Amino acid sequence: MAMHPYALLLYRDTDIEVVSGMRAVYKYMREFFRDGSLEMLIEILFLFFIIAILMLLGEKFLHSRWVWLLPVIPFLLFLYFIQFIPDIMYGKTVYYTREWFPLMGVSISAHLDGLSLLFSLLITGIGTLIVIYSIAYLEEKSSLSRYFCYLFLFTVAMLGVVLADNLITLFVCWEVTSISSYLLIGFNHERPAAREAALNALLITSSGALFLLTGFVLIGITTDTYTISELLHQRNTFIESSWYSVILLLVLIGAFTKSAQFPFHFWLPNAMEAPTPISAYLHSATMVQAGVYLLARFHPFMAGSPLWFILLTTVGAATMMVGVLLAFKQTDMKLILAYTTVTALGSLIFLLGSDQDAVIKAAVAFLISHALYKATLFMVVGDIQHQVGARLVTEINGLRKAMPITFLAALVAGASMAGLPPLLGFYVKELVYEANLAAPIASYILTAIVVFANMMVAALAFILVIKPFLGEQRPKHVMEANMKMSMNAFLLAAFTLILSIVPFAINKAILSPAASATLGHPVTMELTLWHGFTPSLGLSMITLLGAIILYLKRVQVKEIISLFNVFFKYGPTYIWQQLFRGILFIADWQTGILQSGKQRIYLSIVFLTVAFSIIVTLFTHHAIQIDKLVPSMSWLSLFLFAWIFSSAIAVVWVHTYLRGLVFLGMFGLGIALLFLVNAAPDVAMTQVLVETLIVIIVVLNLYRQPVLPKIMAEAIQDRLFNIIVAASIGISITFLLLTITHQLFNTDISDYFLKNSVSLAYGRNVVNVILVDFRALDTMGEIIVVATAAIGIYGLLKNRKKGRKT
């Protein structure tokens, strides 16, 4: 652990009671887990991963009462992270490192500070409620084992992302989140829309991940380290690097695709094909926040440049505006929440574009506020859909009496989303306005964008609460969702309400350390209800008034938005669809040419590609020395050359398979003799065995034919093409081998094997030692491949025999 030198700035006398309470919880947790290090956490996460895999075998378990043990797993992790709060709030950072690929500088490194702790608590805390909610919501599904396997795998991967202190480890976990989210979004795979949505999400996020990986590699090359905690101390060196702009663009593309920023935003609303618990988890506090986390983590050593500010504020503002405009067009409550999530993510990216303390504080506060109210509202919509069978605001009214618990949860979450006092959303909105007004560049423009977006979001919050729950009930005969479902949203809403009443409980414990970690220096945060008569209060009143007007005039607002339908129709979604169709068209076209089903065509393509690559490389690098290409040859070598050459010519020109088989055997025997005279008896023996086996197999095949087949005469153009292919590969390989043999031979590797063959592997046959010891894993892989092929052949033959019997 490392103590920040200015950590005491985070402590004040007025927080003694809070600190005392935290210390009591801390002591209890220490006693419970008996280990405060991250080493235990790595073992727990590995166990969590094993449990996720074992879920595939537990279908019967998941349909029994024992299924209620599943929420205990993320809940224990939540308690485990709580024990670190006292250390983190005093400025400590917890590290753990275990070497993975030491020669490449890759290690399994964990790094827990205020930022990663905030995300870890959100992932495990909300995750616990989502697991409980999922059990009730999907109790009639027959594939619970598959569902919980994917869900737990995603949870582990997401924790890996926020805890990783190594860029490569972070990237591996990043990709696992993409794969597991693909499986979760496509959980209802029998529906074409779910499959398409899952594929789009995977393709877009994985494409961005390729840019991200390139950026990570360039960061490692530029800074000579892949450790994130070390990068945080190299800000000046990194920003002044000539690669800074390129790396920044690559990292931002990876983050923008993951966090659904414009123009990649469309995959997130499409992902609403996933079951509602998945939407509540992935699209509120976890997957879509991964890009936000990445930019917040890299903020201390990447932020501050004009390019960072321009790109993040521009993309964030565009995403905010597109999100709210598209949200207002929707009548599906789940899609409204999806597009407002896009808006919220744009807001976070917009705020992270600044390097001002006040702005980053606002971003951290908005992060936790959004996660709480959005997860609650998703579960509210899930309750309504589960009970009513619909989720269109035009089809549902007056459910407040029929579903009182769900209504209370929606009321609290909706008020927080709208930024009404005294809810947490109001505190955050005040902070955001103060931060934007204090911005050194274009403060009024930035503030106007934020105010308009907040007006629209608040009006949408009114729609989500008023339309389904107020008015005359429609449809009739609706009952409250069972307690296993409705209580999850209610508990999360109650937690939001508690934090709104006592925000000081998280000021120093959660928010200040997270903001300090994002900025790279210690800051303090104070969430208070009353800031006095300030410009931000006036903006809040304007926002509320504007939201009421927008709600009352929502029909006219939709008509105005419809004027932009051409943009929405031919926007990023349309471009992506056309691009995807173009890729499929090209794939079909090249498949028709290359995948003809004829082995002759396949071999010709491979041989011509290899020959072309070799010849071009040799000539462009001036590697061929013509005067040295003809080595001195003995009479025996010339005799073997003539034998092999004449046998090959004879194989080509014969017209019966038996004659061709004879000359093919002569050709193989000549190759074996060539190996033998060049001091490779083991290879010669292998060659003889292979040739013998080929002859036996072919003869047995011909023996079972009713009439011995003849080789069909080829057309002149086909024979000419074959000659070109054979000559190309033969000449290119000849040039390559002769060029290699005239290069200076580096004996380091061979000397190593000769020196260590006896001492390390206790074998005098160096070739055998290499195969069995030095490259044992390669040999084992080859054996596995051969064994797998043999099993496959056996299965095919067995099925063929069964077919004949039937």
Side-chain angles (χ1 to χ4, degrees), residues 59-124:
E59 190 65 40
K60 292 183 178 179
F61 166 80
L62 294 173
H63 286 281
S64 67
R65 67 181 64 180
W66 297 104
V67 69
W68 292 102
L69 291 176
L70 291 182
V72 175
I73 301 172
F75 182 67
L76 288 177
L77 279 173
F78 178 73
L79 295 179
Y80 181 81
F81 284 113
I82 285 178
Q83 69 166 328
F84 289 101
I85 290 178
D87 287 337
I88 300 301
M89 69 184 293
Y90 282 110
K92 294 181 180 179
T93 301
V94 186
Y95 297 98
Y96 171 73
T97 301
R98 178 179 294 176
E99 289 187 347
W100 191 7
F101 295 105
L103 295 179
M104 297 176 60
V106 180
S107 59
I108 300 177
S109 303
H111 169 246
L112 186 67
D113 60 4
L115 182 64
S116 50
L117 178 62
L118 169 60
F119 275 89
S120 298
L121 291 173
L122 289 175
I123 293 167
T124 54

Coordinates of all heavy atoms in Angstrom, one line a residue, residues 59-124:
E59 N -28.0 -27.0 -14.4 CA -29.4 -26.6 -14.8 C -30.4 -27.1 -13.7 O -31.3 -26.3 -13.3 CB -29.7 -27.3 -16.1 CG -31.0 -26.8 -16.7 CD -31.0 -25.3 -17.1 OE1 -30.0 -24.9 -17.6 OE2 -32.0 -24.7 -16.8
K60 N -30.2 -28.3 -13.1 CA -31.1 -28.8 -12.1 C -30.9 -27.9 -10.8 O -31.9 -27.6 -10.2 CB -30.8 -30.3 -11.8 CG -31.2 -31.2 -12.9 CD -31.0 -32.6 -12.5 CE -31.4 -33.6 -13.7 NZ -31.1 -35.0 -13.3
F61 N -29.7 -27.6 -10.5 CA -29.4 -26.8 -9.3 C -30.1 -25.4 -9.5 O -30.7 -24.9 -8.5 CB -27.9 -26.6 -9.2 CG -27.6 -25.5 -8.2 CD1 -27.6 -25.7 -6.9 CD2 -27.2 -24.2 -8.7 CE1 -27.2 -24.7 -6.0 CE2 -26.9 -23.2 -7.8 CZ -26.9 -23.4 -6.4
L62 N -30.1 -24.8 -10.7 CA -30.7 -23.5 -10.9 C -32.2 -23.5 -10.9 O -32.8 -22.4 -10.8 CB -30.2 -22.9 -12.2 CG -28.7 -22.7 -12.2 CD1 -28.2 -22.3 -13.6 CD2 -28.3 -21.6 -11.2
H63 N -32.8 -24.7 -10.9 CA -34.3 -24.7 -10.9 C -34.7 -25.3 -9.5 O -35.9 -25.8 -9.4 CB -34.8 -25.6 -12.0 CG -34.8 -24.9 -13.3 ND1 -35.7 -24.0 -13.7 CD2 -33.9 -25.0 -14.3 CE1 -35.4 -23.6 -14.9 NE2 -34.3 -24.1 -15.3
S64 N -33.8 -25.2 -8.5 CA -34.2 -25.7 -7.2 C -34.1 -24.5 -6.2 O -33.7 -23.4 -6.6 CB -33.2 -26.8 -6.7 OG -31.9 -26.3 -6.5
R65 N -34.4 -24.7 -5.0 CA -34.3 -23.6 -4.0 C -32.9 -23.1 -3.8 O -32.7 -22.0 -3.3 CB -35.0 -24.0 -2.7 CG -34.2 -25.1 -2.0 CD -34.9 -25.5 -0.7 NE -36.2 -26.2 -1.0 CZ -37.0 -26.6 0.0 NH1 -36.6 -26.5 1.3 NH2 -38.1 -27.2 -0.3
W66 N -31.9 -24.0 -4.1 CA -30.5 -23.6 -3.9 C -30.1 -22.5 -4.8 O -29.0 -21.9 -4.6 CB -29.6 -24.8 -4.0 CG -29.9 -25.9 -3.1 CD1 -30.6 -27.1 -3.3 CD2 -29.6 -25.9 -1.7 NE1 -30.7 -27.8 -2.1 CE2 -30.1 -27.1 -1.1 CE3 -28.9 -25.0 -0.8 CZ2 -29.9 -27.5 0.2 CZ3 -28.7 -25.4 0.5 CH2 -29.2 -26.6 1.0
V67 N -30.9 -22.2 -5.8 CA -30.5 -21.1 -6.7 C -30.3 -19.8 -6.0 O -29.6 -18.9 -6.4 CB -31.5 -21.0 -7.8 CG1 -32.8 -20.4 -7.3 CG2 -31.0 -20.1 -9.0
W68 N -31.0 -19.6 -4.8 CA -30.9 -18.4 -4.1 C -29.6 -18.2 -3.4 O -29.4 -17.2 -2.7 CB -32.1 -18.3 -3.1 CG -33.4 -18.2 -3.8 CD1 -34.3 -19.1 -4.0 CD2 -33.9 -17.0 -4.4 NE1 -35.4 -18.7 -4.7 CE2 -35.1 -17.3 -5.0 CE3 -33.4 -15.7 -4.6 CZ2 -35.9 -16.4 -5.7 CZ3 -34.2 -14.8 -5.3 CH2 -35.4 -15.1 -5.8
L69 N -28.7 -19.2 -3.5 CA -27.3 -19.0 -3.0 C -26.5 -18.1 -4.0 O -25.4 -17.6 -3.6 CB -26.6 -20.3 -2.8 CG -27.2 -21.2 -1.7 CD1 -26.4 -22.6 -1.7 CD2 -27.0 -20.5 -0.3
L70 N -26.9 -18.0 -5.2 CA -26.1 -17.3 -6.2 C -25.9 -15.8 -5.9 O -24.8 -15.3 -6.1 CB -26.8 -17.4 -7.6 CG -26.8 -18.8 -8.3 CD1 -27.5 -18.7 -9.6 CD2 -25.4 -19.3 -8.4
P71 N -26.9 -15.1 -5.4 CA -26.6 -13.7 -5.0 C -25.6 -13.5 -3.9 O -25.0 -12.4 -3.8 CB -28.0 -13.2 -4.6 CG -29.0 -14.1 -5.1 CD -28.3 -15.5 -5.2
V72 N -25.3 -14.6 -3.2 CA -24.4 -14.5 -2.1 C -23.0 -14.2 -2.7 O -22.2 -13.5 -2.1 CB -24.3 -15.8 -1.3 CG1 -23.2 -15.7 -0.2 CG2 -25.7 -16.0 -0.6
I73 N -22.7 -14.7 -3.9 CA -21.4 -14.6 -4.5 C -21.0 -13.1 -4.7 O -20.0 -12.6 -4.2 CB -21.2 -15.4 -5.7 CG1 -21.5 -16.9 -5.4 CG2 -19.9 -15.3 -6.4 CD1 -21.6 -17.8 -6.6
P74 N -21.8 -12.4 -5.5 CA -21.5 -10.9 -5.7 C -21.6 -10.1 -4.4 O -20.9 -9.1 -4.3 CB -22.4 -10.5 -6.8 CG -23.6 -11.5 -6.8 CD -23.0 -12.8 -6.4
F75 N -22.5 -10.6 -3.5 CA -22.7 -9.8 -2.3 C -21.4 -9.9 -1.4 O -21.0 -8.9 -0.8 CB -23.9 -10.3 -1.5 CG -24.2 -9.5 -0.3 CD1 -24.6 -8.2 -0.3 CD2 -24.0 -10.2 1.0 CE1 -24.8 -7.5 0.9 CE2 -24.3 -9.5 2.1 CZ -24.7 -8.1 2.1
L76 N -20.8 -11.1 -1.4 CA -19.6 -11.2 -0.6 C -18.5 -10.4 -1.2 O -17.6 -9.8 -0.5 CB -19.2 -12.7 -0.5 CG -20.0 -13.6 0.4 CD1 -19.5 -15.1 0.3 CD2 -20.0 -13.1 1.8
L77 N -18.4 -10.3 -2.5 CA -17.4 -9.5 -3.2 C -17.7 -8.0 -2.8 O -16.8 -7.2 -2.6 CB -17.5 -9.6 -4.7 CG -16.7 -10.9 -5.2 CD1 -17.0 -11.0 -6.7 CD2 -15.2 -10.7 -5.0
F78 N -19.0 -7.6 -2.8 CA -19.3 -6.2 -2.4 C -18.8 -5.9 -1.0 O -18.2 -4.9 -0.7 CB -20.9 -6.1 -2.5 CG -21.4 -4.7 -2.0 CD1 -21.2 -3.6 -2.8 CD2 -22.0 -4.6 -0.8 CE1 -21.6 -2.4 -2.5 CE2 -22.5 -3.3 -0.4 CZ -22.3 -2.2 -1.3
L79 N -19.1 -6.9 0.0 CA -18.6 -6.7 1.3 C -17.1 -6.7 1.4 O -16.5 -5.9 2.1 CB -19.1 -7.8 2.2 CG -20.6 -7.9 2.4 CD1 -20.9 -9.1 3.3 CD2 -21.1 -6.6 3.0
Y80 N -16.4 -7.5 0.5 CA -15.0 -7.5 0.5 C -14.4 -6.1 0.1 O -13.4 -5.6 0.6 CB -14.5 -8.6 -0.5 CG -13.0 -8.7 -0.6 CD1 -12.3 -9.4 0.3 CD2 -12.3 -8.1 -1.6 CE1 -10.9 -9.5 0.2 CE2 -10.9 -8.2 -1.7 CZ -10.2 -8.9 -0.8 OH -8.9 -9.0 -0.9
F81 N -15.1 -5.5 -0.9 CA -14.6 -4.2 -1.3 C -14.9 -3.1 -0.3 O -14.1 -2.1 -0.2 CB -15.2 -3.8 -2.7 CG -14.6 -4.5 -3.8 CD1 -15.3 -5.4 -4.6 CD2 -13.3 -4.3 -4.2 CE1 -14.8 -6.1 -5.6 CE2 -12.7 -4.9 -5.3 CZ -13.5 -5.9 -6.0
I82 N -15.9 -3.2 0.5 CA -16.3 -2.3 1.5 C -15.1 -2.1 2.5 O -14.8 -1.0 3.0 CB -17.6 -2.6 2.2 CG1 -18.8 -2.3 1.3 CG2 -17.7 -1.9 3.5 CD1 -20.1 -2.7 1.9
Q83 N -14.4 -3.2 2.8 CA -13.4 -3.2 3.8 C -12.2 -2.3 3.4 O -11.4 -1.9 4.3 CB -12.9 -4.6 4.1 CG -12.1 -5.2 2.9 CD -11.3 -6.4 3.3 OE1 -10.8 -6.5 4.4 NE2 -11.1 -7.3 2.3
F84 N -12.1 -2.0 2.1 CA -11.0 -1.1 1.7 C -11.3 0.4 1.8 O -10.5 1.2 1.6 CB -10.7 -1.4 0.2 CG -10.0 -2.8 0.0 CD1 -10.7 -3.9 -0.4 CD2 -8.6 -2.9 0.3 CE1 -10.1 -5.1 -0.6 CE2 -8.0 -4.1 0.1 CZ -8.7 -5.2 -0.3
I85 N -12.6 0.7 2.1 CA -13.0 2.1 2.1 C -12.1 3.0 3.1 O -11.7 4.0 2.7 CB -14.5 2.3 2.4 CG1 -15.3 1.7 1.2 CG2 -14.9 3.7 2.7 CD1 -16.8 1.8 1.4
P86 N -11.9 2.5 4.3 CA -11.1 3.3 5.2 C -9.7 3.6 4.7 O -9.2 4.7 4.8 CB -11.1 2.5 6.5 CG -12.3 1.7 6.5 CD -12.5 1.4 5.0
D87 N -9.1 2.6 4.1 CA -7.7 2.8 3.5 C -7.8 3.8 2.4 O -7.0 4.7 2.3 CB -7.2 1.5 3.1 CG -6.7 0.6 4.2 OD1 -6.5 1.1 5.3 OD2 -6.7 -0.7 4.0
I88 N -8.7 3.6 1.5 CA -8.8 4.4 0.3 C -9.1 5.9 0.6 O -8.6 6.8 0.0 CB -9.8 3.8 -0.7 CG1 -9.4 2.4 -1.1 CG2 -9.9 4.7 -1.9 CD1 -8.1 2.3 -1.8
M89 N -10.0 6.1 1.6 CA -10.4 7.4 1.9 C -9.3 8.2 2.6 O -9.3 9.4 2.6 CB -11.7 7.4 2.8 CG -11.5 6.9 4.2 SD -13.1 6.8 5.1 CE -13.5 8.6 5.2
Y90 N -8.3 7.5 3.1 CA -7.2 8.2 3.7 C -6.0 8.3 2.7 O -4.9 8.6 3.1 CB -6.7 7.4 4.9 CG -7.6 7.7 6.2 CD1 -8.4 6.8 6.7 CD2 -7.5 9.0 6.7 CE1 -9.2 7.0 7.8 CE2 -8.3 9.3 7.9 CZ -9.1 8.3 8.4 OH -9.9 8.6 9.5
G91 N -6.3 8.0 1.4 CA -5.3 8.2 0.4 C -4.4 7.0 0.0 O -3.5 7.2 -0.7
K92 N -4.7 5.9 0.6 CA -3.9 4.7 0.3 C -4.3 4.1 -1.0 O -5.4 4.2 -1.5 CB -4.0 3.7 1.4 CG -3.4 4.1 2.7 CD -3.5 3.0 3.8 CE -2.9 3.5 5.1 NZ -3.0 2.5 6.1
T93 N -3.4 3.4 -1.7 CA -3.6 2.7 -2.9 C -3.1 1.3 -2.7 O -2.0 1.1 -2.2 CB -2.9 3.3 -4.1 OG1 -3.4 4.7 -4.3 CG2 -3.2 2.6 -5.4
V94 N -3.9 0.3 -3.1 CA -3.5 -1.1 -2.8 C -3.1 -1.7 -4.2 O -3.7 -1.6 -5.2 CB -4.7 -1.9 -2.3 CG1 -4.3 -3.3 -1.9 CG2 -5.3 -1.2 -1.1
Y95 N -1.9 -2.3 -4.1 CA -1.3 -2.9 -5.3 C -1.1 -4.4 -5.1 O -0.9 -4.9 -4.0 CB 0.1 -2.3 -5.7 CG 0.0 -0.9 -6.0 CD1 0.4 0.1 -5.1 CD2 -0.3 -0.4 -7.3 CE1 0.4 1.4 -5.4 CE2 -0.3 0.9 -7.6 CZ 0.0 1.8 -6.6 OH 0.0 3.2 -6.9
Y96 N -1.2 -5.2 -6.2 CA -0.8 -6.6 -6.2 C -0.3 -6.9 -7.6 O -1.0 -6.6 -8.6 CB -2.0 -7.5 -5.8 CG -1.6 -9.0 -6.0 CD1 -0.8 -9.6 -5.1 CD2 -2.2 -9.7 -7.1 CE1 -0.5 -10.9 -5.3 CE2 -1.9 -11.0 -7.3 CZ -1.0 -11.6 -6.4 OH -0.7 -12.9 -6.6
T97 N 0.8 -7.6 -7.7 CA 1.4 -8.0 -9.0 C 1.9 -9.4 -9.0 O 2.5 -9.9 -8.0 CB 2.6 -7.1 -9.4 OG1 2.1 -5.7 -9.4 CG2 3.1 -7.5 -10.7
R98 N 1.5 -10.2 -10.0 CA 2.1 -11.5 -10.2 C 2.5 -11.6 -11.7 O 1.7 -11.3 -12.6 CB 1.0 -12.6 -9.9 CG 1.5 -14.0 -10.1 CD 0.4 -15.0 -9.8 NE 0.1 -15.0 -8.3 CZ -0.9 -15.7 -7.8 NH1 -1.7 -16.5 -8.5 NH2 -1.0 -15.6 -6.5
E99 N 3.7 -12.1 -11.9 CA 4.2 -12.2 -13.3 C 3.4 -13.2 -14.1 O 3.0 -14.2 -13.6 CB 5.7 -12.6 -13.3 CG 6.6 -11.5 -12.7 CD 8.1 -11.9 -12.9 OE1 8.4 -13.1 -13.2 OE2 9.0 -11.0 -12.8
W100 N 3.2 -12.8 -15.4 CA 2.4 -13.6 -16.3 C 3.4 -14.0 -17.4 O 3.7 -15.2 -17.6 CB 1.2 -12.9 -16.8 CG 0.2 -13.7 -17.6 CD1 0.2 -15.0 -17.7 CD2 -0.9 -13.2 -18.3 NE1 -0.8 -15.4 -18.5 CE2 -1.6 -14.3 -18.8 CE3 -1.5 -11.9 -18.4 CZ2 -2.7 -14.2 -19.6 CZ3 -2.7 -11.8 -19.2 CH2 -3.3 -13.0 -19.7
F101 N 3.8 -13.1 -18.3 CA 4.8 -13.3 -19.3 C 5.9 -12.3 -19.0 O 6.0 -11.2 -19.6 CB 4.2 -13.1 -20.7 CG 3.2 -14.0 -21.1 CD1 1.8 -13.7 -21.1 CD2 3.5 -15.3 -21.4 CE1 0.8 -14.6 -21.4 CE2 2.5 -16.3 -21.8 CZ 1.2 -15.9 -21.8
P102 N 6.8 -12.6 -18.1 CA 7.9 -11.7 -17.7 C 8.7 -11.2 -18.8 O 9.2 -10.0 -18.8 CB 8.7 -12.5 -16.7 CG 8.4 -13.9 -16.9 CD 7.0 -14.0 -17.5
L103 N 9.0 -12.0 -19.8 CA 9.9 -11.6 -20.9 C 9.2 -10.5 -21.8 O 9.9 -9.6 -22.4 CB 10.3 -12.7 -21.8 CG 11.2 -13.8 -21.2 CD1 11.4 -14.9 -22.1 CD2 12.5 -13.2 -20.7
M104 N 7.9 -10.5 -21.8 CA 7.1 -9.4 -22.5 C 6.7 -8.3 -21.6 O 6.1 -7.3 -22.1 CB 5.9 -10.1 -23.2 CG 6.2 -11.1 -24.2 SD 4.7 -11.9 -24.8 CE 3.9 -10.5 -25.6
G105 N 7.0 -8.4 -20.4 CA 6.6 -7.3 -19.4 C 5.2 -7.3 -19.1 O 4.6 -6.3 -18.7
V106 N 4.5 -8.5 -19.3 CA 3.1 -8.6 -19.0 C 2.9 -9.3 -17.7 O 3.5 -10.4 -17.4 CB 2.4 -9.5 -20.1 CG1 0.9 -9.6 -19.8 CG2 2.6 -8.8 -21.5
S107 N 2.1 -8.8 -16.8 CA 1.8 -9.3 -15.5 C 0.4 -9.2 -15.1 O -0.3 -8.4 -15.7 CB 2.7 -8.6 -14.4 OG 2.4 -7.2 -14.4
I108 N -0.1 -10.0 -14.2 CA -1.4 -9.9 -13.7 C -1.3 -8.9 -12.5 O -0.9 -9.3 -11.4 CB -2.0 -11.2 -13.2 CG1 -2.0 -12.2 -14.4 CG2 -3.3 -11.1 -12.6 CD1 -2.5 -13.6 -14.0
S109 N -1.6 -7.7 -12.8 CA -1.5 -6.6 -11.8 C -2.8 -6.0 -11.4 O -3.6 -5.7 -12.3 CB -0.5 -5.5 -12.3 OG 0.7 -6.0 -12.7
A110 N -3.0 -5.9 -10.1 CA -4.2 -5.3 -9.6 C -3.9 -3.9 -8.9 O -2.9 -3.8 -8.3 CB -5.0 -6.2 -8.6
H111 N -4.8 -3.0 -9.1 CA -4.6 -1.6 -8.6 C -5.9 -1.1 -8.1 O -6.8 -0.9 -8.9 CB -4.0 -0.8 -9.8 CG -4.0 0.7 -9.5 ND1 -4.7 1.6 -10.2 CD2 -3.2 1.4 -8.6 CE1 -4.5 2.8 -9.8 NE2 -3.6 2.7 -8.8
L112 N -6.0 -0.9 -6.8 CA -7.3 -0.4 -6.2 C -7.1 0.9 -5.6 O -6.4 1.1 -4.6 CB -7.7 -1.4 -5.1 CG -9.1 -1.1 -4.5 CD1 -10.2 -1.3 -5.6 CD2 -9.4 -2.1 -3.3
D113 N -7.7 1.9 -6.2 CA -7.7 3.3 -5.6 C -9.2 3.7 -5.6 O -10.1 2.9 -5.8 CB -6.8 4.2 -6.4 CG -7.2 4.3 -7.9 OD1 -8.3 3.7 -8.3 OD2 -6.5 5.0 -8.7
G114 N -9.4 5.0 -5.4 CA -10.7 5.5 -5.3 C -11.6 5.3 -6.5 O -12.8 5.0 -6.4
L115 N -11.0 5.4 -7.7 CA -11.8 5.2 -9.0 C -12.2 3.8 -9.2 O -13.4 3.5 -9.4 CB -11.0 5.7 -10.2 CG -11.7 5.6 -11.5 CD1 -12.9 6.5 -11.5 CD2 -10.7 6.0 -12.6
S116 N -11.2 2.9 -9.0 CA -11.5 1.4 -9.2 C -12.4 0.9 -8.1 O -13.3 0.0 -8.3 CB -10.3 0.6 -9.3 OG -9.4 0.9 -8.2
L117 N -12.3 1.5 -6.9 CA -13.2 1.1 -5.8 C -14.6 1.5 -6.1 O -15.6 0.7 -5.9 CB -12.7 1.7 -4.5 CG -13.6 1.4 -3.3 CD1 -13.6 -0.1 -3.0 CD2 -13.1 2.2 -2.0
L118 N -14.8 2.7 -6.6 CA -16.2 3.2 -6.9 C -16.8 2.2 -7.9 O -18.0 1.8 -7.8 CB -16.1 4.6 -7.5 CG -17.4 5.1 -8.1 CD1 -18.6 5.1 -7.1 CD2 -17.2 6.5 -8.7
F119 N -16.1 1.9 -9.0 CA -16.7 1.0 -10.0 C -16.9 -0.4 -9.5 O -17.9 -1.1 -9.8 CB -15.7 1.0 -11.2 CG -16.0 2.1 -12.2 CD1 -15.3 3.3 -12.1 CD2 -16.9 1.9 -13.3 CE1 -15.5 4.3 -13.0 CE2 -17.1 2.9 -14.2 CZ -16.4 4.1 -14.0
S120 N -16.0 -0.9 -8.7 CA -16.1 -2.2 -8.1 C -17.4 -2.3 -7.2 O -18.1 -3.3 -7.3 CB -14.9 -2.6 -7.3 OG -13.7 -2.6 -8.1
L121 N -17.6 -1.3 -6.4 CA -18.8 -1.3 -5.6 C -20.1 -1.3 -6.4 O -21.1 -1.9 -6.1 CB -18.8 -0.1 -4.6 CG -17.7 -0.2 -3.5 CD1 -17.7 1.1 -2.7 CD2 -18.0 -1.4 -2.6
L122 N -20.1 -0.5 -7.5 CA -21.2 -0.5 -8.4 C -21.5 -1.8 -9.1 O -22.6 -2.3 -9.2 CB -21.1 0.6 -9.4 CG -21.2 2.1 -9.0 CD1 -20.8 3.0 -10.1 CD2 -22.5 2.4 -8.4
I123 N -20.4 -2.4 -9.5 CA -20.5 -3.7 -10.3 C -21.0 -4.8 -9.3 O -21.9 -5.5 -9.7 CB -19.1 -4.1 -10.8 CG1 -18.7 -3.1 -11.9 CG2 -19.1 -5.5 -11.4 CD1 -17.3 -3.2 -12.4
T124 N -20.5 -4.9 -8.1 CA -20.9 -6.0 -7.2 C -22.2 -5.6 -6.5 O -23.0 -6.5 -6.3 CB -19.8 -6.2 -6.2 OG1 -19.4 -5.0 -5.5 CG2 -18.5 -6.8 -6.9

